[in-house]
Amino acid sequence: MNELEILIPIVFFLAFGAVLGTIILTRHKERMTMIEKGMNAEDIKSLYVKQTFQTNPLASLKWGIVLIGIGTAVIVGMWLRNSFMYDEGIFPGLIATFGGIALVLFYFIAGKRQQ
């Protein structure tokens, strides 16, 4: 058996323990600092309560436009590959270009809706 095969699980568990210990120690120091500043238990609990998630109505519009742009890029890429024998390397460039155009389009639409 190779020494490396034994060393890998040991290093993994030591690293996992170090990360977990750092998280616990940091949280303890943070809470002790809050107590020293004069915060009571209710104030500390209110900091750790998860806030309600509020949706942005324009977020769905943005992702819809971006996905339409990416889908259009894939269709155009397939058409270019079949018609003009481009290789598949054109897809990332088309996806980035059409996705960027979609985000610029969303910027203008969102700007008009906020006015």
Side-chain angles (χ1 to χ4, degrees), residues 51-97:
Q51 301 295 326
T52 58
F53 182 70
Q54 296 189 6
T55 60
N56 182 2
L58 294 177
S60 297
L61 174 65
K62 175 175 67 173
W63 288 112
I65 293 173
V66 168
L67 291 175
I68 288 171
I70 290 173
T72 305
V74 170
I75 291 171
V76 168
M78 291 172 61
W79 176 73
L80 287 173
R81 188 179 71 182
N82 291 336
S83 298
F84 300 106
M85 302 302 169
Y86 281 107
D87 60 350
E88 293 180 2
I90 198 166
F91 283 104
L94 283 174
I95 289 173
T97 302

Side-chain angles (χ1 to χ4, degrees), residues 34-35 38-49:
M34 286 184 210
I35 291 171
M39 296 179 77
N40 59 15
E42 291 300 319
D43 293 337
I44 294 172
K45 284 181 184 176
S46 68
L47 290 174
Y48 290 105
V49 173

